[in-house]
Amino acid sequence: MPILYDEKSNTLTIVTDHTSYQMQVDAKGYLLHLYYGTRSAGCMDYLLTYADRGGSANPPAALGDRTYSLDALPQEFPFQGAGDCRSPLLRVRDASGAFGCDLRFSSFRIRDGKYSLPGLPAAYDEEGDGAQTLSVILQDPRLGLEVELLYGVLPRLDVICRSAIVRNEGKGALLVDKLESACLDFVHGELDLICFYGRHAMERIPSRQRVEPGSRLIGSRRGISSHQYNPLLVLADRMTDERAGRCWSLQLVYSGAFKAEVERDQYDQIRAQMGLGEEAFSYPLDPGESIVAPEVIMSFSAEGLARLSQQLHEVIRTRVCRGYWRDRERPVLLNSWEAFYMDFTGEDIVGMARQAADLGIDLLVLDDGWFSDRNDDTKALGDWWVNEEKLGCDLGELIRRVNDLGVSFGIWMEPEMVSEKSELFRAHPDWALAIPGKHPVLGRDQLVLDLSRTEVVDALFEQICSLLDQGNIEYLKWDYNRSIIDVYSHGARDQGAVPYRYMLGLYGLLERVIARYPTLLIEGCAGGGGRFDAGMLYYTPQIWCSDNTDAVDRLTIQYGSSFGYPSSAVGAHVSACPNHMNGRVTPLATRACVAMAGTFGYELDPKRLSKKELDTIRGQVQDFRKLSHLVREGRYWRLGDPQRDAVVGWEYVSADGDEALVCAVVLRVEANEGMRYLVPCGLTPGATYVERASGRYYPADALMDMGMPLSGARSLYDSVQVHLLRCDGVADIKEGTRR
Ligand code: GLA
């Protein structure tokens, strides 16, 4: 049983295959956090210490005992009002406007299966997972406030999920001013914080810094999880590296504004927390109402960062992503954006499909520019009717022509948006988020539709269906290209609740689309990777990782993304050179090597390529078919850091250890330099591997110790892809087959 209650010590313990998590209801009725780390039996309340904390605050329940202060004790759900002056998870006001509550333990319940959350994405369990849910009720009788803490454990995955439901069970109105989902309190330790920051076209750059006294905040005030900070935190002992050491992660399953904070307090204790964005948030709760905090997925590894990431990859890939495409080979696609931008005709698109067929590509994606008078990005969003003049036929006809070539058809849409220059806006100006009397802030010349309103969501659903019903559309790129700044919803009781309700509207809409089109592959996108989070992955099993398609920049972007997200989620394409964003020229082989660390596809005009390049692409597509299962499901290892190393590598190893793909790109060169070596990980000790292309044998242990020389990669931006098959000393490789 992964969740245990011990009556004697009043502790609740959650156990996974390799970790333990423990909390205790103390004698005063407060819920204290005791431990999260390596699996351990017994009671960890010896970690609690008490000294005179008269200088801090002592709650009335301390009955004059100055050694009892919540300002010093580790907690499960710290709240504002009982003397913990560190950053709380919950801050509530009563009808008089007074802040403060006092939440004490009331009851708990353990049940089989993992909880789900009404209206919000959350990891799920499957039969055989042995998942359980712990719910702990905290109450403040004065306010009639009740908080249900939810803990869902997936034991084999070494993952514990958390959420909280705040309810008004009283008689007066309440206002929730702050609601975070989870925190981790550490009573001591020198920790580093690793977070993932960036900007449009350069997302998720890792930054590792010591946790210093004070607070470090990351988050988004943009209405989306954002390009700027990803909702993923890793804490690690200072000596922890890829292969060794303790590390913890908090990952939010939510795609809107969020806040994460890591605070080192007066006693050098550390609190990490994550949840809803606090700014511009105030959520009214009338008697009988409640609000659900988005889920945080927590994980712990005592074996370094690689292991932690592998745990996160597994939970995201197999217990957050869902549906038809979860475990299926994804189509190799050719996208029209970098080929034509908005300047194309129907013949161009059919011509592109012809090239796709010739190259062995599965799917053609018609990106932006196909609707209304959308020939630049200043207008027409919301008017999702096909520009038949531009395409030379209706959409059904175009799709048929593409399908007749043996190629599937996909289309781009940005459903949540409206341009001021559009018929939709002229008809329904109040459907856009804009504050009456204030000129709205524009982003890419567009406004955001008010998805907190049911009628807007209903209308959007109709629009999406009427597009998808025009033909055999097998893929939808769901884009989102600005942030939410002006928040005002017509008819809303409290504007401070609108951003959260927007997310509920969006998730509800996605759920309806998925239910109606279960085999449609939806790729998420927000100006590339501006909404690359576990919340969206619940609906869209892959997300366009970045608008930056330069192979070298992508190494950093994909490296950072790999800390929390599996390659199966990473939309990655080969584009033309010089790269349209940074002008860099890289070999076609390297561009493919990097794009193969994701869902793989092309985003260029094949007509502009030479015969030799087209032949190369044909080979790449065939190669990817032999490798895609490894990329999608293999255990992922980072071999080097693009911000630090001259050669950066990465590797996938199949679950049975029979196969591995080792990749590397040269990022820096010097004249007359020595040979470089790449050291793979995770192979089966004692086994022998043979390289598919060369037939060369490698003993696994030596490979994992001294590595392999990178003889084939000597020049700047050269790359290697080594496909290893386990042969146990028997030469039995056949082209493209597994042993
Ligand atoms: C965003 C996307 C791009 C492309 C354009 C179209 O920037 O990230 O991939 O679809 O919009 O306008």
Side-chain angles (χ1 to χ4, degrees):
M1 280 303 173
I3 303 178
L4 310 156
Y5 173 63
D6 180 64
E7 208 174 335
K8 215 165 110 226
S9 58
N10 224 0
T11 51
L12 284 155
T13 306
I14 305 173
V15 182
T16 71
D17 280 6
H18 302 95
T19 72
S20 295
Y21 185 102
Q22 196 172 68
M23 66 192 85
Q24 182 176 52
V25 182
D26 77 1
K28 323 263 186 254
Y30 290 111
L31 186 63
L32 303 182
H33 173 73
L34 296 183
Y35 180 77
Y36 187 28
T38 305
R39 186 166 168 160
S40 171
C43 178
M44 274 68 100
D45 66 357
Y46 74 91
L47 288 165
L48 301 173
T49 60
Y50 299 87
D52 190 334
R53 302 293 184 210
S56 285
N58 311 118
L63 300 173
D65 174 4
R66 299 205 324 196
T67 69
Y68 191 90
S69 174
L70 292 172
D71 208 19
L73 288 166
Q75 291 167 74
E76 278 302 312
F77 193 77
F79 50 87
Q80 189 265 331
D84 184 348
C85 294
R86 295 170 289 179
S87 189
L89 296 194
L90 180 70
R91 195 169 49 237
V92 176
R93 275 195 268 171
D94 64 20
S96 76
F99 291 96
C101 58
D102 189 10
L103 287 166
R104 313 276 188 94
F105 172 83
S106 160
S107 62
F108 76 88
R109 193 161 80 92
I110 297 168
R111 62 187 157 91
D112 287 341
K114 182 188 173 286
Y115 67 81
S116 55
L117 298 175
L120 286 171
Y124 57 91
D125 63 319
E126 288 194 343
E127 225 180 296
D129 283 349
Q132 282 196 319
T133 294
L134 165 66
S135 88
V136 181
I137 305 285
L138 308 177
Q139 283 177 337
D140 179 338
R142 181 182 71 88
L143 295 174
L145 174 68
E146 177 175 293
V147 179
E148 179 176 3
L149 304 183
L150 290 165
Y151 300 81
V153 55
L154 297 168
R156 189 182 50 77
L157 274 63
D158 285 317
V159 153
I160 298 170
C161 304
R162 285 189 61 176
S163 174
I165 305 175
V166 180
R167 300 190 180 99
N168 183 349
E169 301 280 332
K171 296 203 163 48
L174 296 175
L175 197 61
V176 179
D177 263 349
K178 179 181 186 188
L179 176 58
E180 307 290 300
S181 309
C183 78
L184 276 180
D185 272 2
F186 297 83
V187 286
H188 77 108
E190 282 293 340
L191 297 181
D192 283 346
L193 167 65
I194 308 174
C195 64
F196 305 88
Y197 77 104
R199 56 188 185 274
H200 173 238
M202 206 61 217
E203 298 90 343
R204 292 175 295 287
I205 305 165
S207 146
R208 180 170 180 162
Q209 281 169 28
R210 179 170 181 261
V211 178
E212 299 281 1
S215 269
R216 175 109 187 270
L217 293 179
I218 66 157
S220 160
R221 304 180 186 96
R222 297 164 197 270
I224 46 171
S225 51
S226 88
H227 302 86
Q228 285 72 15
Y229 297 100
N230 194 263
L232 168 70
L233 288 186
V234 176
L235 289 151
D237 281 327
R238 301 229 64 201
M239 299 301 286
T240 294
D241 61 17
E242 287 287 346
R243 314 270 176 272
R246 299 185 309 159
C247 43
W248 298 257
S249 61
L250 296 172
Q251 187 171 24
L252 194 63
V253 189
Y254 189 67
S255 317
F258 77 97
K259 180 176 181 185
E261 181 170 357
V262 178
E263 179 178 8
R264 178 162 166 167
D265 73 8
Q266 56 184 333
Y267 305 116
D268 291 314
Q269 307 185 107
I270 291 173
R271 169 174 295 167
Q273 62 178 258
M274 186 176 260
L276 290 174
E278 184 180 356
E279 285 172 40
F281 172 81
S282 63
Y283 201 93
L285 286 185
D286 278 348
E289 291 185 333
S290 60
I291 176 171
V292 182
E295 175 166 279
V296 165
I297 297 175
M298 305 189 303
S299 199
F300 167 79
S301 151
E303 290 168 35
L305 295 164
R307 178 67 183 259
L308 185 73
S309 292
Q310 288 161 7
Q311 288 164 192
L312 298 182
H313 294 172
E314 192 168 1
V315 66
I316 299 288
R317 183 173 65 77
T318 69
R319 295 295 181 269
V320 172
C321 293
R322 310 173 279 169
Y324 182 82
W325 286 102
R326 187 186 84 173
D327 302 320
R328 281 195 163 73
E329 193 170 328
R330 313 283 168 77
V332 174
L333 65 82
L334 176 59
N335 179 297
S336 67
W337 182 242
E338 285 198 33
F340 303 128
Y341 296 100
M342 296 189 205
D343 188 11
F344 55 81
T345 62
E347 284 313 312
D348 290 330
I349 299 303
V350 174
M352 203 175 192
R354 201 168 291 118
Q355 297 263 15
D358 177 52
L359 294 169
I361 291 173
D362 306 305
L363 171 80
L364 180 105
V365 179
L366 175 55
D367 210 286
D368 199 353
W370 55 265
F371 53 96
S372 183
D373 59 345
R374 176 85 168 174
N375 293 311
D376 61 60
D377 65 7
T378 63
K379 54 177 180 287
L381 293 171
D383 296 346
W384 301 110
W385 48 83
V386 179
N387 185 342
E388 293 184 8
E389 208 181 312
K390 185 168 180 175
L391 294 184
C393 60
D394 63 26
L395 189 61
E397 168 73 20
L398 185 78
I399 296 172
R400 271 192 299 279
R401 290 181 69 191
V402 170
N403 285 174
D404 285 348
L405 295 162
V407 175
S408 306
F409 182 85
I411 201 160
W412 175 97
M413 202 180 179
E414 202 180 343
E416 298 155 74
M417 296 293 158
V418 63
S419 307
E420 282 179 313
K421 287 186 218 157
S422 70
E423 290 192 20
L424 182 72
F425 185 72
R426 284 189 283 274
H428 299 286
D430 63 305
W431 282 11
L433 288 169
I435 300 171
K438 174 182 183 291
H439 285 298
V441 175
L442 295 177
R444 212 189 188 198
D445 278 309
Q446 62 201 49
L447 298 173
V448 187
L449 288 170
D450 181 1
L451 269 65
S452 73
R453 280 168 66 182
T454 317
E455 71 211 280
V456 178
V457 172
D458 288 347
L460 265 183
F461 181 64
E462 292 307 317
Q463 282 181 339
I464 294 168
C465 295
S466 71
L467 171 68
L468 294 178
D469 291 344
Q470 285 174 45
N472 182 25
I473 298 178
E474 297 180 55
Y475 163 107
L476 177 66
K477 180 172 168 187
W478 185 300
D479 207 345
Y480 178 107
N481 280 311
R482 63 155 292 177
S483 42
I484 297 178
I485 306 292
D486 293 303
V487 176
Y488 181 90
S489 175
H490 290 266
R493 185 158 52 112
D494 193 309
Q495 302 300 334
V498 169
Y500 174 81
R501 294 213 179 103
Y502 179 99
M503 293 314 301
L504 295 182
L506 170 64
Y507 290 143
L509 175 63
L510 283 159
E511 194 69 52
R512 283 163 78 181
V513 174
I514 289 170
R516 171 140 173 192
Y517 304 96
T519 60
L520 177 74
L521 173 59
I522 309 181
E523 176 153 350
C525 178
R531 203 159 59 179
F532 195 96
D533 56 64
M536 284 309 285
L537 287 168
Y538 188 65
Y539 306 92
T540 70
Q542 59 193 60
I543 299 178
W544 183 227
C545 183
S546 177
D547 274 351
N548 187 340
T549 52
D550 168 53
V552 173
D553 283 352
R554 269 288 180 132
L555 288 174
T556 299
I557 297 166
Q558 293 177 190
Y559 169 83
S561 306
S562 79
F563 279 82
Y565 303 93
S567 296
S568 59
V570 171
H573 301 165
V574 174
S575 64
C577 272
N579 183 270
H580 294 187
M581 280 205 170
N582 64 12
R584 198 189 327 257
V585 175
T586 48
L588 183 53
T590 298
R591 281 175 270 155
C593 172
V594 175
M596 283 189 202
T599 55
F600 197 55
Y602 292 81
E603 186 152 340
L604 43 70
D605 182 2
K607 276 208 311 293
R608 293 170 190 258
L609 300 181
S610 66
K611 176 165 182 324
K612 190 165 164 239
E613 286 170 316
L614 292 172
D615 288 343
T616 305
I617 289 180
R618 219 170 276 118
Q620 290 171 344
V621 173
Q622 280 171 19
D623 285 346
F624 185 67
R625 302 218 188 274
K626 292 170 199 148
L627 302 173
S628 68
H629 64 285
L630 268 174
V631 173
R632 212 174 53 249
E633 292 169 0
R635 189 161 292 158
Y636 183 86
W637 299 87
R638 288 176 289 270
L639 311 177
D641 173 350
Q643 292 168 302
R644 183 192 62 204
D645 299 322
V647 172
V648 61
W650 64 96
E651 182 193 7
Y652 302 91
V653 185
S654 63
D656 56 12
D658 277 2
E659 239 185 315
L661 174 67
V662 184
C663 307
V665 176
V666 178
L667 285 179
R668 256 198 333 274
V669 285
E670 286 173 3
N672 192 26
E673 61 187 345
M675 181 54 66
R676 295 209 174 98
Y677 291 77
L678 194 68
V679 186
C681 297
L683 303 173
T684 304
T688 299
Y689 286 81
V690 60
E691 182 185 351
R692 203 188 86 209
S694 67
R696 185 171 198 142
Y697 288 88
Y698 294 97
D701 301 278
L703 258 190
M704 291 191 286
D705 191 347
M706 287 302 284
M708 59 173 72
L710 287 178
S711 328
R714 303 288 284 156
S715 302
L716 188 63
Y717 306 146
D718 272 359
S719 58
V720 289
Q721 271 186 318
V722 183
H723 187 184
L724 296 171
L725 302 173
R726 183 172 151 187
C727 61
D728 296 329
V730 187
D732 58 355
I733 31 164
K734 289 198 203 88
E735 184 61 22
T737 56
R738 295 182 63 186
R739 197 177 56 89

